[in-house]
Each structure stands twice: as structure tokens, then as C-alpha cells.
Amino acid sequence: MKPVFQIILTLFFLVATVPTQAAPKFIGADSSTGTSLAVVAESVPLAHTTQILPVNKNGQIVGKGNSAKQIELTLKNLSRVLNEVDSSVERIVKINVCAARLETVAEAEKIFAKKFKNGFKPTVTFVVGKLSHPEALVAMDAVAQCKNVPSAKRVGAVQSENGVRFASVSILSPGGVIYISGQAKPGQLADATAKTLESLQATLDFLALKKSDVVQIKCFIDPASGAETAKRQIAAFYSGATIPPLVFVDWISPKLPIEIEMIVAAPANRAAKQSVSYLTPPEFKPSNVYSKVTRVNYGRLVYVSGLYGETPNDPEQQITEMFGSLKRIIEEAGSDFDSLVKATYYVTDGGASAQLNELRPKFYNPTRPPAASKAMVKGVGRAGKNVTFDMIAVSEDRTTGN
């Protein structure tokens, strides 16, 4: 019996000493919805996916007119992509949902409540508008923790379209990260896209980073059906190199057909005095309501669910309430308004947009506003609501990577 006991004891100590990945911190986790108000991600590789559609292997939409079937298939497709980088749907910390109609949002919430009832409860942001595929009712992209450190490759699940390589998922390794605010140039869609990418290249040059460092590109586009045109211009910009994950969001913009923002990998800088640096490239003027670039030097990323105010059809009151909620949530996550790094504001009308412009200076440190994009959209996922916030902050921790 002694040898058997010794073997068991040895195995116990081996298991006990194997390093395990700590779970993220969930703020306001709710089993009834399967979601959290905020998630403080661990300092591990974070997979960023492309926008996933409810399509089969042949690229055909499945479940036409059926929101539930399309949502289920989109989640399966997300799982397939995340499996490529040792992650899964069950390890998602942030999920963005674009829905073609408000009823699809309600259906997605029901499915998320079942899917994420146990284990990770991600943050979620909903936007309503047209999708790049006319028969799609839903599209999703996500950020998920990887179980183990993936191989050195930056991208996974690469697909080829007409000889162009598009990555379905990209890895943000522990360390630093940069958020570049949305940039836009006037013109017809193709020309505007090309010029905007030139502007973004100048920003990358200012940061001493390369196109290969880009983790994800998000395009706010009008019309949504112009996604293929934008993709061709992005392919030309990358000139044969693999294109990072792409996300397209339908926006209402009579003057600018496209606005493009980027997430970029960067080395950590633990010697920095503060966890976040707020930067302005030389070709831009500083703003007191948003930064052109934010650089996370160290700390843990805090993803916040899309926020809503309580007062219907009153954007001023909604925005004030949302900033109050945001303050409480990020403080519980170990952050504050001086450590906000990325904001995406979705508004449904000009009144909400104007109120947001007026109110932001009352809450932000004028020298430390987050990088931001603001998009006018058809809907923000709730009836009677005119605006929602999608925010990322940093919880300081010099001992960890991200």
C-alpha cells in the first residue's frame, strides 16, 4: 500500500503545483441574464475575433428570418474560431452584438441567459441597424481569454477570399495595448476608406508601430452594404499581408461614409508613472472630450457592458444617469474616470449626440479623456432609449502584464 500512497501523494503535489489561470473578476454578475456589468480580464492572451455571421461553411446564411437559429449558429461559429487559439465561447469576457431589429436583441438576451448561466458571464453591448449581409439578423464579435499562451503567431483561423487572407481571430498578448480613436475622411466610400487608412498609417508611424501590430479594425459604415468595398480598400492597404479581424457597424452619416478605429498591440511600459498615456499625433489638435490615442502601459483591462439610463426619451437625463452608473461600476473594478481608455458612444438622433457633447466635459478630466468613436445608429437595443455607452477602463496593477 505504501507505494500506492506515495504515488497518490506525488500526484497530489504535482497537481497542486501546476500553475492555474485565475478567473477574471465579474462585477454585477447576474445568472438570470448570463452577463455582468463589468469584467476585469486577467493578464493573459486575449483573443479578438472578426465579426461573425450566421453562415454555413459555404458562406450561406442559415435560418433566414429566424433570429433564434441565427443567434445559435453565430455562437457556434464564434466557438469554432475561438477554439483555433485555445479559447472558447465559455471564456468570453466581452461580446458585441449587431442586430437587424429590436426583437432580435430580446431573443439574444434569452439565449445568453441560458448559455452563460454558469461560469464566465461576459459584458454585452447591443446595437440595432443594417448588417453587411442583407439576410443576416445578427452579427457578433468577441474578446475572450485564452486558456494557455498560444503559439507566437498573432492571427488564427485565416480564411482566403479571392486570394486575400483575412484573419478570423487575433491575439493581444499580455503587455500594452493602444486604442486609436475613429478617424474619417470625406469622399465616396472607396476613396474615403483609402484616405482614412492613410491617416491611420500616419498615426501608426507616430507610435513607431506597424500594420502587423493591429489586432482589430472596426469600421462604422454607411451603407452597411458597402462593407465589401471597404474590405477591398483594406486589402490594398495591407498589400498581400494577412488582414486582422474586421468589424462593421451600420451608422447614419450623411457626410462621412466611413470612420475607422484600431486596436493595436504594444509593449508594456511598467516604468511609466501612470497606467494610461493620452496621446495626440502632431497632425491633430487636442480635445477635452476624447483622446486621439490612448496607450495602456500596464494594468488589467476592464470591459463594461453597454450602459443605459433609466429615464425614457430624455437623452440628457439618460446620459447623466449613465455616467453615474459608470462611476460606480469602474470604481468597484478598481478603476476611475482618469483610467478610461476607450469609449464607443451609440446615439439614435442629433439631440442625444448634442447632449453627449455638452455633458462629457462635466465628467472627464480634460487632459485624460478616453479614445472614442461616436456613431448615430438606428437603435441601441432598448425601446425608448436614445444612447448607450460601450467602455473600457484599466485597473492598475504593476505586477501583471495587460
Side-chain angles (χ1 to χ4, degrees):
M1 295 298 292
K2 186 175 180 179
V4 174
F5 174 78
Q6 289 177 335
I7 291 171
I8 294 173
L9 191 62
T10 300
L11 288 173
F12 171 80
F13 280 111
L14 284 172
V15 171
T17 56
V18 171
T20 58
Q21 186 185 106
K25 180 179 181 180
F26 299 96
I27 309 297
D30 188 344
S31 296
S32 67
T33 64
T35 63
S36 299
L37 294 177
V39 176
V40 185
E42 283 302 307
S43 295
V44 298
L46 294 174
H48 290 64
T49 76
T50 193
Q51 190 170 58
I52 304 296
L53 293 170
V55 296
N56 58 22
K57 293 180 179 180
N58 298 320
Q60 300 171 324
I61 293 290
V62 175
K64 295 179 182 179
N66 189 317
S67 292
K69 285 185 178 180
Q70 291 200 14
I71 293 163
E72 293 284 4
L73 179 58
T74 302
L75 286 170
K76 288 181 180 179
N77 288 343
L78 260 179
S79 180
R80 175 180 53 79
V81 166
L82 290 171
N83 287 341
E84 290 275 341
V85 290
D86 202 11
S87 187
S88 65
V89 167
E90 289 71 26
R91 301 187 70 80
I92 290 176
V93 296
K94 171 66 176 174
I95 187 165
N96 299 300
V97 180
C98 291
R101 54 197 188 197
L102 188 60
E103 308 89 84
T104 303
V105 172
E107 194 66 49
E109 290 181 313
K110 292 178 184 177
I111 293 173
F112 288 169
K114 295 178 181 178
K115 183 69 176 178
F116 303 115
K117 184 176 183 180
N118 301 310
F120 279 38
K121 293 177 178 58
T123 60
V124 181
T125 297
F126 293 102
V127 178
V128 178
K130 294 181 180 179
L131 304 181
S132 59
H133 195 298
E135 295 178 334
L137 299 177
V138 67
M140 303 180 195
D141 67 277
V143 180
Q145 291 190 174
C146 299
K147 297 178 184 178
N148 300 297
V149 178
S151 62
K153 66 180 181 180
R154 172 66 52 78
V155 297
V158 176
Q159 298 180 345
S160 180
E161 297 179 19
N162 300 318
V164 180
R165 291 165 55 83
F166 292 91
S168 296
V169 62
S170 186
I171 300 299
L172 175 63
S173 298
V177 58
I178 287 173
Y179 295 94
I180 301 177
S181 290
Q183 297 184 16
K185 296 293 183 182
Q188 297 298 313
L189 180 56
D191 189 46
T193 303
K195 290 179 179 178
T196 301
L197 290 168
E198 289 177 7
S199 177
L200 287 162
Q201 178 65 68
T203 301
L204 291 172
D205 293 341
F206 163 74
L207 297 166
L209 295 171
K210 302 176 181 178
K211 287 182 281 191
S212 58
D213 295 315
V214 177
V215 173
Q216 188 189 69
I217 297 173
K218 178 176 282 189
C219 303
F220 302 93
I221 189 168
D222 181 15
S225 58
E228 290 302 319
T229 298
K231 285 171 69 174
R232 286 194 293 270
Q233 294 300 319
I234 295 170
F237 176 69
Y238 272 86
S239 58
T242 300
I243 297 169
L246 303 177
V247 176
F248 293 94
V249 178
D250 178 44
W251 76 334
I252 302 167
S253 177
K255 294 183 179 179
L256 298 169
I258 192 166
E259 179 172 305
I260 304 175
E261 63 179 35
M262 289 179 168
I263 301 173
V264 190
N269 181 14
R270 295 181 184 85
K273 293 182 179 180
Q274 294 177 306
S275 60
V276 185
S277 299
Y278 297 80
L279 309 172
T280 303
E283 64 269 26
F284 294 103
K285 294 181 179 179
S287 166
N288 66 342
V289 294
Y290 82 103
S291 293
K292 304 303 185 290
V293 176
T294 54
R295 179 173 188 141
V296 178
N297 299 309
Y298 55 83
R300 299 165 65 188
L301 294 175
V302 180
Y303 296 94
V304 181
S305 271
L307 297 176
Y308 299 96
E310 295 297 325
T311 307
N313 301 312
D314 186 339
E316 180 179 6
Q317 188 61 28
Q318 286 177 34
I319 293 165
T320 301
E321 292 165 351
M322 290 159 65
F323 273 116
S325 298
L326 177 62
K327 183 177 186 295
R328 292 190 297 271
I329 291 168
I330 61 176
E331 284 181 351
E332 187 174 348
S335 188
D336 55 32
F337 276 19
D338 275 4
S339 298
L340 290 171
V341 294
K342 180 65 177 74
T344 307
Y345 310 105
Y346 295 105
V347 299
T348 61
D349 54 63
S353 178
Q355 286 293 335
L356 185 58
N357 290 344
E358 183 177 336
L359 290 169
R360 275 188 286 177
K362 297 181 181 181
F363 295 94
Y364 292 152
N365 179 336
T367 65
R368 298 177 65 83
S373 295
K374 182 173 66 173
M376 190 175 295
V377 294
K378 179 182 177 182
V380 295
R382 294 288 187 276
K385 300 300 170 68
N386 308 90
V387 59
T388 189
F389 294 175
D390 178 11
M391 312 293 288
I392 304 174
V394 169
S395 177
E396 288 196 13
D397 184 353
R398 287 178 180 269
T399 64
T400 59
N402 244 16

